[in-house]
Amino acid sequence: MLAIFDKELVQPPQELNSPNMESSTRKAKFPQEILNYFSSSSSDRAFSIGFGNSAALAFVPPEKTYSLQQRLFCGLDDIYCTFMGSLHNLCSLIRQYGLSKGSNEAMLVIEAYRTLRDRSPYPAHQVLNDLEGSFAFVVYDSKVGSVFAALGTNEGVNLYWGIAADGSVVISENLDLIKASCAKSYAPFPRGCMFHSKHGLTSFEHPTKKMKALPRIDSEGVMCGANFKVDAQSRVQAMPRVGSEANWATWGSHA
């Protein structure tokens, strides 16, 4: 999967940018170049959806209809989700959210996102902690222009993010694609964490702790983005209520 979001829509942590971009022999690509690269390096089953200059999503449907590490894509009411992995407790979550029996993980994530956006009966970290299994997902709400991404704590699925040549954020599970697209400005997406375009990067596994950036040095000895870790010595305060675009009332934590 591939997700690209314009820098006006998503502001990732500044540490994701490499300070050595100008001296790097490998140059970052622009969004259209990245989409072309994705299409050319994927099978003829690949497809993409563009949202003007704001966002683009690309996806390759799996050849097998089901596997333990499945890839799913779903769009509903202007909300789009790419999902990788599988949830052990999908059936119970389907009942909890009142979905039909045939719903898959991507449909569930969209419904969980809508619940957080519109009603927010639970903190966001509690909703994600309810997901049992290996998972990574990216949600784009094209109606309100928000992005919600997360990676589970289990190691069955990987996710990476980086910065394109024009400052856009690039997210994919394909490390080679991220390297080719973002040159030195990329890093693994941190496990047990969630990112929202309005609220930034936080840990849903340790919601009362802040995140800190640790510089990454690649095999060439060059600083290459940053690893983001939970700062065990820190503590965050409760997030204040925000306006009508999503009542993520307790996004980060509750004191």
Side-chain angles (χ1 to χ4, degrees):
M1 58 79 70
L2 170 66
I4 305 174
F5 302 107
D6 182 78
K7 62 182 179 180
E8 300 300 325
L9 181 68
V10 174
Q11 290 80 45
Q14 293 183 353
E15 295 87 352
L16 201 56
N17 282 283
S18 170
N20 301 296
M21 285 300 296
E22 293 184 1
S23 61
S24 175
T25 56
R26 187 172 57 198
K27 301 301 180 182
K29 292 180 169 62
F30 288 90
Q32 190 57 54
E33 294 178 289
I34 299 172
L35 285 169
N36 293 341
Y37 180 85
F38 178 86
S39 298
S40 64
S41 60
S42 304
S43 69
D44 56 6
R45 295 161 56 86
F47 67 89
S48 62
I49 302 175
F51 303 87
N53 295 323
S54 297
L57 302 174
F59 185 76
V60 180
E63 295 182 1
K64 296 181 180 180
T65 56
Y66 179 79
S67 68
L68 291 177
Q69 300 304 329
Q70 59 189 338
R71 298 194 309 273
L72 300 168
F73 180 87
C74 181
L76 181 65
D77 294 337
D78 299 316
I79 304 172
Y80 300 84
C81 174
T82 57
F83 180 96
M84 296 170 295
S86 59
L87 299 178
H88 308 321
N89 61 336
L90 177 61
C91 292
S92 63
L93 290 172
I94 285 174
R95 292 193 296 270
Q96 177 181 330
Y97 284 95
L99 299 175
S100 61
K101 291 183 179 180
S103 299
N104 61 31
E105 282 90 343
M107 298 174 186
L108 172 75
V109 168
I110 287 179
E111 185 59 30
Y113 165 81
R114 289 203 301 185
T115 299
L116 285 169
R117 185 193 67 182
D118 301 335
R119 299 185 293 277
S120 192
Y122 310 110
H125 65 83
Q126 180 178 327
V127 170
L128 292 182
N129 276 318
D130 285 343
L131 306 183
E132 298 176 4
S134 298
F135 66 88
F137 65 78
V138 178
V139 171
Y140 176 53
D141 186 339
S142 62
K143 183 177 294 185
V144 301
S146 66
V147 176
F148 181 33
L151 176 64
T153 57
N154 293 353
E155 296 185 356
V157 180
N158 295 314
L159 197 64
Y160 305 90
W161 58 346
I163 307 299
D166 66 345
S168 296
V169 178
V170 184
I171 306 175
S172 178
E173 90 286 6
N174 187 326
L175 178 57
D176 291 336
L177 173 64
I178 288 290
K179 286 181 176 180
S181 303
C182 306
K184 299 294 184 180
S185 293
Y186 74 93
F189 193 94
R191 294 194 180 280
C193 290
M194 54 188 176
F195 176 83
H196 187 272
S197 50
K198 301 295 187 203
H199 306 291
L201 179 68
T202 57
S203 169
F204 65 81
E205 187 180 19
H206 303 285
T208 63
K209 304 298 182 182
K210 295 180 180 180
M211 301 294 296
K212 64 179 179 179
L214 303 175
R216 294 176 63 243
I217 306 298
D218 66 9
S219 59
E220 300 173 352
V222 176
M223 188 175 293
C224 180
N227 287 320
F228 299 92
K229 303 289 186 182
V230 172
D231 185 353
Q233 305 303 316
S234 67
R235 182 174 178 82
V236 298
Q237 299 299 317
M239 292 295 294
R241 289 186 177 271
V242 296
S244 58
E245 184 280 328
N247 286 323
W248 305 81
T250 47
W251 166 264
S253 65
H254 47 287

